Amino acid sequence: MPAKKYKVTLSAEERQILEKLTTTGKTAAYKMNRARILLKADQHQADGGWGDQAISAALDVSVATIERVRHQFVEEGFEAVLSYTRHD
């Protein structure tokens, strides 16, 4: 399997924001899913980031969605992933 082109590396501040987002208050479903994807894909974890198949199985989202979130994070940044924009 080829190496991931778009690797997610979160700062401590970004990780804290995402963890808070996924555990408190009311959050839109798209934003919650994107936050969870980024947290699981983060390369700064003890074992590195989860693979797309593992994230897909754990969160019940398509691999294509995970790939889009990774791509958007690397190309457009943290804030862009959490804002609602369509890239059709």
Side-chain angles (χ1 to χ4, degrees):
M1 180 184 269
K4 289 284 175 204
K5 182 176 179 180
Y6 299 104
K7 294 184 180 181
V8 174
T9 52
L10 298 172
S11 69
E13 180 183 4
E14 290 169 338
R15 177 167 273 287
Q16 183 179 18
I17 290 168
L18 294 174
E19 287 172 347
K20 184 175 180 182
L21 188 87
T22 60
T23 58
T24 60
K26 294 182 180 178
T27 303
Y30 82 90
K31 193 178 283 191
M32 182 80 71
N33 279 339
R34 291 176 181 196
R36 288 179 175 155
I37 290 167
L38 290 175
L39 287 168
K40 295 209 178 297
D42 183 20
Q43 295 294 309
H44 287 148
Q45 298 178 69
D47 295 329
W50 290 29
D52 291 354
Q53 293 292 338
I55 296 170
S56 176
L59 301 180
D60 196 29
V61 295
S62 71
V63 170
T65 297
I66 296 162
E67 290 170 348
R68 279 193 304 272
V69 170
R70 284 180 186 272
H71 180 261
Q72 187 176 25
F73 177 80
V74 171
E75 295 292 325
E76 299 176 35
F78 180 75
E79 293 296 324
V81 173
L82 298 180
S83 66
Y84 184 75
T85 54
R86 291 189 56 126
H87 296 282
D88 294 341

